[in-house]
Amino acid sequence: MPYQSTEVWERLKSAMRDYRALKKDHKSTQAVEALIIFYAGWLGHYVGDGSQPLHVTIKYNGWVGDNPNEYTTEHKIHAKFESDFVKANIKEKEVAALVPAQPLPHGDISTITWRI
């Protein structure tokens, strides 16, 4: 995750530089604006997914192969966890109070990602 996050972060920074250069030259920024939105969404989704426990196992979408403990082989377990479980157990009001808005730490994005 830290490696992919760093790559997407660098793409986002590059797109923002392109935006500023185009704006300065009074050229159309429409295409680069779309890229910025895409990269920001990709990064946000990817970093958020880093907290999903199934993302840290090769059995991320149901057990495959020998299954001595009879874990689920349901291939929709990943989606069920990310949607049904979260919706049923996590309420935005309860979480919002625990996560105060704060600026990101400054420094190299790779170092920051490993630290988080």
Side-chain angles (χ1 to χ4, degrees), residues 12-34 36:
L12 178 59
K13 285 188 347 184
S14 177
M16 289 182 175
R17 275 190 218 108
D18 293 344
Y19 172 85
R20 288 190 299 272
L22 289 168
K23 192 85 165 163
K24 181 180 176 186
D25 292 340
H26 305 288
K27 295 181 179 175
S28 174
T29 59
Q30 187 174 0
V32 77
E33 285 177 44
I36 289 169

Side-chain angles (χ1 to χ4, degrees), residues 66-106:
D66 292 337
N67 191 354
N69 296 316
E70 299 181 11
Y71 296 122
T72 186
T73 58
E74 168 62 55
H75 293 299
K76 294 182 181 178
I77 188 67
H78 188 131
K80 284 182 179 182
F81 182 85
E82 286 188 349
S83 59
D84 299 344
F85 176 82
V86 171
K87 287 177 188 174
N89 294 286
I90 299 175
K91 305 298 179 222
E92 185 177 349
K93 282 184 175 182
E94 295 170 0
V95 173
L98 300 172
V99 186
Q102 56 186 331
L104 288 173
H106 293 282

